[in-house]
Amino acid sequence: GPLSFATLTWISGYNRMSEDSRATLSFSNPIQNPLGLFDLGFQAGQGGNLELTSYYQELRLTSPSEQRFRWVGGLSFQYLNKGLLSGDFIDTNGDPAQFWDPSLSIDTENYRWLQRSFGGYGQADYDLRPDLTLTAGVRYDFDERQQRNLISGALLAANFNAVQPKATLSWRRSDRETYYLTAGTGYRPGGFNPSGDPSHFSSEFLRNFEGGWKTLWLDGQLRINGALFYDIDHGYQYFD
């Protein structure tokens, strides 16, 4: 709600999800291909049981928007608890319940991930002239990550953090034309590979340099925007 010097906003979110999936591992029609997976003489299935619980809290302070110097700042916290049981099995009759039969199991993996993320940010806008605005901001993130193998008991844990500055210069040539230059840093925390070597992967950092324009034409009926940008990516993360 409104304070004497700013507006205080509290954002809260909660999510709980459960998902069970079953599918063929043979990637073929058993009638057309009765010999099954790789012609080994049997059909094969795959399945996964996913459970996820997360919640998010954020407190934000925002200054009045009509003043020459404007600012916003806040703190955030996010919690995630995710478990995934997955595996492949011999499919004798098409019943999804075969996933639970240990005598038909080909392989099984069972992992649980815990994540806690803390963040703080601030941004200020200052009108150098009525048509020229300088924006500067910074965000700090601290992430705690854990991965536990529920079959072997192996536990992996690591912390990741980053400071992410950003600056923008905007020129409003008219009500229908705005041009801007911006530079900033983005961050994606590292984590763990469920299987394989190495067990950890590092954080990804992106540096972005961009210039662009936003324009309106034909009494606001036509919008033409454009941008040129250059990115430098360190520690690129990919999934295969």
Side-chain angles (χ1 to χ4, degrees), residues 106-137:
I106 300 174
D107 67 86
T108 301
E109 293 184 341
N110 195 355
Y111 287 93
R112 182 160 295 277
W113 294 269
L114 292 177
Q115 301 177 10
R116 297 180 181 89
S117 301
F118 307 85
Y121 60 90
Q123 178 177 297
D125 298 311
Y126 183 69
D127 294 332
L128 302 172
R129 302 185 323 213
D131 63 341
L132 191 64
T133 300
L134 177 64
T135 301

Side-chain angles (χ1 to χ4, degrees), residues 17-205:
M17 181 180 72
S18 178
E19 179 183 275
D20 297 344
S21 62
R22 304 291 184 267
T24 176
L25 184 63
S26 305
F27 301 105
S28 62
N29 188 313
I31 297 177
Q32 297 176 344
N33 184 21
L35 295 180
L37 181 65
F38 302 127
D39 293 333
L40 296 178
F42 63 87
Q43 302 294 324
Q46 59 181 336
N49 292 356
L50 172 68
E51 294 181 355
L52 184 148
T53 301
S54 67
Y55 56 85
Y56 177 82
Q57 303 291 325
E58 181 180 347
L59 281 176
R60 180 188 304 163
L61 275 175
T62 307
S63 71
S65 59
E66 64 273 6
Q67 57 194 26
R68 185 176 184 182
F69 177 76
R70 303 170 298 279
W71 54 268
V72 60
L75 299 171
S76 64
F77 172 74
Q78 185 173 15
Y79 171 82
L80 177 94
N81 187 331
K82 182 174 72 172
L84 177 61
L85 170 64
S86 61
D88 305 322
F89 58 92
I90 297 174
D91 185 357
T92 61
N93 57 18
D95 186 354
Q98 295 175 109
F99 175 78
W100 298 105
D101 190 340
S103 66
L104 299 177
S105 176
I106 300 174
D107 67 86
T108 301
E109 293 184 341
N110 195 355
Y111 287 93
R112 182 160 295 277
W113 294 269
L114 292 177
Q115 301 177 10
R116 297 180 181 89
S117 301
F118 307 85
Y121 60 90
Q123 178 177 297
D125 298 311
Y126 183 69
D127 294 332
L128 302 172
R129 302 185 323 213
D131 63 341
L132 191 64
T133 300
L134 177 64
T135 301
V138 64
R139 178 181 178 91
Y140 175 74
D141 284 297
F142 180 83
D143 295 278
E144 296 179 351
R145 300 288 177 99
Q146 291 185 8
Q147 175 184 282
R148 183 180 294 276
N149 187 323
L150 299 182
I151 296 177
S152 68
L155 175 65
L156 299 174
N159 297 332
F160 307 92
N161 65 90
V163 177
Q164 304 151 77
K166 183 178 181 180
T168 302
L169 184 64
S170 300
W171 175 39
R172 294 177 299 279
R173 185 180 179 187
S174 69
D175 292 340
R176 299 178 180 275
E177 293 180 68
T178 299
Y179 302 88
Y180 68 90
L181 295 172
T182 185
T185 299
Y187 155 78
R188 179 185 294 175
F192 314 104
N193 294 308
S195 59
D197 186 29
S199 59
H200 295 66
F201 57 88
S202 61
S203 300
E204 179 179 354
F205 295 90

